[in-house]
Amino acid sequence: MSKPVNLNRYRKEKARAEKKARADRNAVAFGRNKSEKERQKVEEHRARQKLDGHEIEE
């Protein structure tokens, strides 16, 4: 005879594995560390200042 399988445990393990895989994909697609976020903020601020500096005042 074969050993009985707990289907609830199997289903939960499968759901956990799918959730982990989705989290890993999202980390690659959207994940940035703190220094990258800060650098982007600074670059956006500089670009905004440069654009404002070229504004023609009447």
Side-chain angles (χ1 to χ4, degrees), residues 15-33:
R16 281 189 205 109
E18 289 173 359
K19 190 173 182 181
K20 173 82 168 116
R22 185 178 61 207
D24 291 340
R25 285 193 307 270
N26 285 341
V28 169
F30 301 110
R32 296 180 299 165
N33 59 26

Side-chain angles (χ1 to χ4, degrees), residues 5-47:
V5 177
N6 187 339
L7 297 178
N8 289 330
R9 182 181 300 161
Y10 174 76
R11 185 173 54 245
K12 287 180 182 182
E13 287 176 2
K14 184 179 176 185
R16 281 189 205 109
E18 289 173 359
K19 190 173 182 181
K20 173 82 168 116
R22 185 178 61 207
D24 291 340
R25 285 193 307 270
N26 285 341
V28 169
F30 301 110
R32 296 180 299 165
N33 59 26
K34 188 173 183 177
S35 64
E36 290 172 339
K37 291 177 187 177
E38 276 297 315
R39 190 185 77 228
Q40 183 180 6
K41 248 184 173 176
V42 170
E43 288 174 356
E44 288 174 357
H45 181 67
R46 286 182 184 162

